[in-house]
Amino acid sequence: MKKRHEQKLIILSIGLMIAFSIPISLLFNSEREVLGYPMILVYLFVVWMISIVISFVIVKRYDE
């Protein structure tokens, strides 16, 4: 894998650290619900799912 593709994964990791940090996560800690689930759980699982898809695309497309 080339250096710039490794850098993309590092940037993704840093973005996830920021997205999962306590202050950002608590922004979604409200009484609102989405399909019966608390908003914070929806936020955490959506961010997690998006990160898996992005990392899969990076690794699959640029794996040499």
Side-chain angles (χ1 to χ4, degrees), residues 29-44:
N29 191 16
S30 65
E31 296 295 323
R32 282 187 26 198
E33 293 185 351
V34 177
L35 299 174
Y37 296 104
M39 188 67 179
I40 192 166
L41 286 180
V42 173
Y43 167 75
L44 292 175

Side-chain angles (χ1 to χ4, degrees), residues 1-2 5-6 9 55-64:
M1 186 176 291
K2 292 184 180 179
H5 306 309
E6 291 176 0
L9 292 174
S55 61
F56 177 77
V57 168
I58 291 171
V59 169
K60 205 61 164 154
R61 181 177 293 170
Y62 302 115
D63 191 24
E64 297 174 351

Side-chain angles (χ1 to χ4, degrees), residues 4-62:
R4 68 181 166 176
H5 306 309
E6 291 176 0
Q7 290 173 350
K8 289 179 184 177
L9 292 174
I10 291 172
I11 290 171
L12 177 66
S13 299
I14 292 169
L16 286 174
M17 283 194 323
I18 293 169
F20 286 134
S21 68
I22 296 298
I24 302 297
S25 295
L26 288 179
L27 289 175
F28 295 93
N29 191 16
S30 65
E31 296 295 323
R32 282 187 26 198
E33 293 185 351
V34 177
L35 299 174
Y37 296 104
M39 188 67 179
I40 192 166
L41 286 180
V42 173
Y43 167 75
L44 292 175
F45 283 110
V46 166
V47 169
W48 185 29
M49 182 180 62
I50 290 171
S51 69
I52 290 171
V53 170
I54 291 172
S55 61
F56 177 77
V57 168
I58 291 171
V59 169
K60 205 61 164 154
R61 181 177 293 170
Y62 302 115

